[in-house]
Amino acid sequence: MPAVYAGHFSHIVWLHPTWAQQIREGKHHFAVGKDISTTTIRVTSTDHYFLSDGLYVTEDQLENQKPLQLDVITVKPYKLSNNEEEKDAVSSAKKPKLALEDAENTAPTNCDSRSEGLGKDAVTQTRGQTCLGPSCSRSPESQDPQPAISTGEILDTLKKGGAFVLDIDLDFFSVKNPFKEMFTQEEYKILQQLYQFKKPGINLTEEDLVDCVDTRIHQLEDLEATFADLCDGDDEETVQKWASNPGMESLVPLVQSLKKRMEVPDYEMVHQAGLTCDYSELPHHISTEQEIEDLIKSVYYLLKNLPKPTLVTIARSSLDDYCPSEQVDTIQEKVLDVLRSLYGTLDIHLVYSAESSPS
């Protein structure tokens, strides 16, 4: 969102696997701007993803607004069927055979391999440029997503934009929820209870939505204050003080369980884990070798029908354990092989490596 607010991107297409369902499928159109009361970046989208993070504000609360189109599309694993070489990998309308006007362009593509990311394939478009991932391009007032778009529509968008950035997160191919290994089932269940976001009803007024977000922000602020205080001391009196607040009763068994397993619980990490427990769990799907290969093929056939990106960025998502450490290097090499087969020689910069010399 900071890049959108800065004016770099106006259209994002989020291509996600079937197990990542954080944002509703379809086209989303909303505004990104600076909240005049907090000076922080906020959005006018009413999707639960943004409401649960307390990011929604009404349009009159935003200054320096930038329109954003966010397209959310499921990418299904590639399967050979009826001898079709390029079966549609994207859910929605059947993919037309697309002519690539830039197919003969052999200029090297910049490829930037990074260590952290968002867990998805993305294409983003700037003013006149596109980024493949989530994308939006209608009036900020339009909140309801439209039916998913076809690959042909993506191509049409890229032709209009003229340039786009392809952002690939390696946990698109295989992802785990690291907090499930960090905490016991009971501890994780308590975190889900403490941080739960109650989805609002439908057809709410702006006032209802503002109240919903205010309640959520206060909930998260109280939880942040709680675990910050526990970092300074988790004696029984302190725990009981916070547990006496409405909805915080389960704090007592949570702290007791953590202290049984750890000499000094990391309450800051506990809070970070809790922030991922809102209306749905983090995606968790450690893929088999075949599943990875099928998704690699899906990405290959999708990109084969799109113009060459101006820049490719790759997030490994390995330091935070979202992409399994035992798979990340293999997945990265498979992705680079796809990019080489499509775009020729690559100018690769391994930002995560101590020796970040081009290779």
Side-chain angles (χ1 to χ4, degrees), residues 140-300:
E141 295 80 10
S142 301
Q143 299 294 339
D144 296 330
Q146 301 301 307
I149 64 175
S150 68
T151 312
E153 289 181 84
I154 296 177
L155 181 58
D156 289 341
T157 297
L158 298 184
K159 284 182 176 179
K160 293 175 184 176
F164 75 96
V165 174
L166 172 64
D167 177 53
I168 302 174
D169 197 318
L170 299 187
D171 68 9
F172 168 89
F173 301 94
S174 184
V175 64
K176 72 176 182 178
N177 179 350
F179 299 118
K180 285 193 169 183
E181 295 180 352
M182 199 175 299
F183 301 101
T184 66
Q185 279 189 327
E186 188 57 33
E187 290 166 354
Y188 194 73
K189 184 178 178 181
I190 292 175
L191 285 175
Q192 289 176 314
Q193 294 170 350
L194 289 172
Y195 286 82
Q196 181 182 16
F197 172 68
K198 187 176 180 180
K199 292 182 180 180
I202 59 176
N203 299 323
L204 297 181
T205 65
E206 282 190 348
E207 185 178 355
D208 292 332
L209 290 168
V210 169
D211 288 343
C212 170
V213 170
D214 284 345
T215 299
R216 178 61 171 172
I217 291 175
H218 289 141
Q219 176 193 8
L220 296 180
E221 287 177 346
D222 289 345
L223 286 163
E224 181 179 18
T226 297
F227 287 105
D229 198 15
L230 292 177
C231 286
D232 295 332
D234 59 359
D235 56 274
E236 184 176 353
E237 182 181 352
T238 302
V239 175
Q240 289 291 347
K241 177 188 70 174
W242 290 105
S244 63
N245 293 329
M248 296 281 283
E249 300 82 5
S250 57
L251 183 66
V252 174
L254 174 62
V255 172
Q256 289 175 344
S257 178
L258 291 171
K259 293 176 74 170
K260 283 181 182 178
R261 296 193 304 109
M262 310 171 190
E263 184 175 346
V264 181
D266 185 348
Y267 291 111
E268 183 177 351
M269 183 59 70
V270 174
H271 177 58
Q272 293 302 315
L275 291 174
T276 69
C277 301
D278 37 42
Y279 60 91
S280 65
E281 289 189 17
L282 285 177
H284 184 81
H285 183 96
I286 299 178
S287 302
T288 64
E289 289 185 16
Q290 187 60 54
E291 286 176 319
I292 293 172
E293 193 62 39
D294 289 343
L295 282 172
I296 288 288
K297 290 177 182 177
S298 292
V299 171
Y300 170 80

Side-chain angles (χ1 to χ4, degrees), residues 11 13 15 26-27 29 69 71 73 88 90-98 123 125 130 132 135 137 146-161 302 305-307:
H11 191 169
V13 182
L15 306 175
K27 295 183 180 182
H29 303 265
Q69 177 175 331
D71 298 338
I73 307 172
D88 190 9
V90 179
S91 67
S92 68
K94 288 186 178 179
K95 178 179 67 179
K97 295 200 176 212
L98 305 173
V123 177
Q125 178 173 6
T130 302
L132 193 52
S135 75
S137 70
Q146 301 301 307
I149 64 175
S150 68
T151 312
E153 289 181 84
I154 296 177
L155 181 58
D156 289 341
T157 297
L158 298 184
K159 284 182 176 179
K160 293 175 184 176
L302 172 67
N305 288 294
L306 299 179

Side-chain angles (χ1 to χ4, degrees), residues 9 15 109-110 112 121-124 130-133 164-169 299 302-303 306-314 335 339 342-343:
F9 301 115
L15 306 175
T109 297
N110 289 328
D112 189 4
D121 247 356
V123 177
T124 308
T130 302
C131 173
L132 193 52
F164 75 96
V165 174
L166 172 64
D167 177 53
I168 302 174
D169 197 318
V299 171
L302 172 67
L303 296 180
L306 299 179
K308 179 184 291 186
T310 305
L311 174 71
V312 179
T313 57
I314 299 177
V335 169
L339 297 178
L342 292 171
Y343 309 132

